[in-house]
Amino acid sequence: MSRLEIKNLRSGYDHNEILRDISFEIQSGEIVGLIGENGAGKTTLIKSILGILALTEGEIFIDGNEIDDEWDNAKGKMAYIPEMPLLYEELTLKEHLEFTGMAKGMDQETFNKRVEELLVIFNMKEKLHHFPSSFSKGMRQKVMVMCGLLHEPSILIVDEPFIGLDPRAIKALVKILQEKKQQGLGILMSTHVLDSAEKICDRFVLLMEGKVLYKGTLEEMRNDTGLKDASLMDLFDYFMGAAA
């Protein structure tokens, strides 16, 4: 089942078109790595999927249903973990989670169960009643991850998920992503950490100058280049060099 499908997407800012003819899909139980150099259009693509930027052309489908003006309904099926933690300084960790739970319409029993699980996984139980001003950058990022994973979305979008997290938190996040994948979640992960992406992603979408330069599995990339034992970093360099 297709969790997210993008067809011929064009988008940008004002009259400056950044993305041109972007098409790919994410299946249920699949992690797709979104990779590319700075300025390739990854952030613009994420904002377009989330409805922050209007499409110039193209279509977006979630669970087979086209998104047009029904962004409020669509957002209920999406979860987003941004690169930079964006927290309310006047709300405690508990209040951030409660706010997210209410926004997603979670029932109290499910909410309590999920919160307890996440607090243990990310070692944040003792911080439940603390304010963000007392958190390190890594802790602030943990709050964003916990809020993003609180409900049960169809598609999870994560932007540079490993930045700011300590090794234990990275291991916990990877484990959760793998579990969510097994449960049928579709995951789009934008990252520059290619060695980690190589280990956990099923397929990759390589952007260059607002266009899809390549999309496929690591094995397909190796076969198409003839670099049988190449790492994702080696393949990235190959495609970027060939397109230059």
Side-chain angles (χ1 to χ4, degrees), residues 179-231:
E179 289 175 351
K180 290 297 181 183
K181 168 187 167 180
Q182 294 299 321
Q183 294 168 10
L185 186 68
I187 301 171
L188 177 64
M189 186 177 74
S190 174
T191 182
H192 287 114
V193 187
L194 299 187
D195 56 342
S196 295
E198 178 178 338
K199 295 175 183 176
I200 67 174
C201 293
D202 300 290
R203 289 192 298 114
F204 302 92
V205 174
L206 172 57
L207 292 187
M208 180 178 180
E209 297 180 351
K211 295 183 178 180
V212 175
L213 181 60
Y214 188 91
K215 53 186 175 182
T217 66
L218 185 67
E219 196 60 33
E220 288 170 341
M221 296 172 81
R222 288 169 171 166
N223 290 337
D224 289 344
T225 61
L227 304 174
K228 299 299 184 181
D229 299 314
S231 67

Side-chain angles (χ1 to χ4, degrees), residues 1-159:
M1 176 183 180
S2 176
R3 288 299 191 187
L4 174 69
E5 184 177 6
I6 296 172
K7 292 184 176 181
N8 305 315
L9 184 150
R10 288 175 173 263
S11 181
Y13 303 87
D14 296 325
H15 300 294
N16 183 22
E17 190 173 63
I18 304 296
L19 303 176
R20 297 179 296 281
D21 295 324
I22 302 292
S23 296
F24 67 91
E25 61 183 298
I26 300 175
Q27 298 294 327
S28 174
E30 183 177 46
I31 302 177
V32 173
L34 181 63
I35 60 177
E37 295 183 326
N38 291 333
K42 300 187 299 298
T43 299
T44 303
L45 177 56
I46 289 173
K47 288 182 177 180
S48 300
I49 296 171
L50 294 173
I52 298 172
L53 290 178
L55 307 185
T56 306
E57 291 182 19
E59 301 167 301
I60 298 177
F61 298 83
I62 293 181
D63 289 346
N65 299 312
E66 183 179 0
I67 298 174
D68 39 39
D69 296 323
E70 301 297 324
W71 282 108
D72 288 340
N73 294 332
K75 286 176 181 177
K77 293 189 173 184
M78 290 190 285
Y80 172 54
I81 302 173
E83 174 183 357
M84 297 300 295
L86 302 172
L87 303 178
Y88 297 99
E89 297 300 326
E90 67 276 14
L91 298 183
T92 64
L93 168 56
K94 180 181 179 182
E95 289 168 336
H96 275 91
L97 294 169
E98 289 175 339
F99 180 78
T100 303
M102 287 188 292
K104 299 300 183 181
M106 298 181 68
D107 65 83
Q108 194 64 45
E109 183 179 353
T110 303
F111 172 80
N112 291 339
K113 182 174 182 293
R114 288 294 295 144
V115 167
E116 184 64 26
E117 291 172 349
L118 291 168
L119 288 172
V120 172
I121 289 170
F122 288 99
N123 195 31
M124 292 287 282
K125 200 165 187 176
E126 294 182 359
K127 304 295 183 180
L128 187 59
H129 300 288
H130 290 212
F131 291 94
S133 59
S134 67
F135 294 165
S136 66
K137 181 183 177 182
M139 289 180 181
R140 295 170 74 93
Q141 185 68 357
K142 286 181 183 181
V143 178
M144 297 303 299
V145 173
M146 292 168 68
C147 289
L149 296 172
L150 190 58
H151 75 301
E152 298 296 333
S154 295
I155 186 77
L156 173 64
I157 300 172
V158 287
D159 192 0

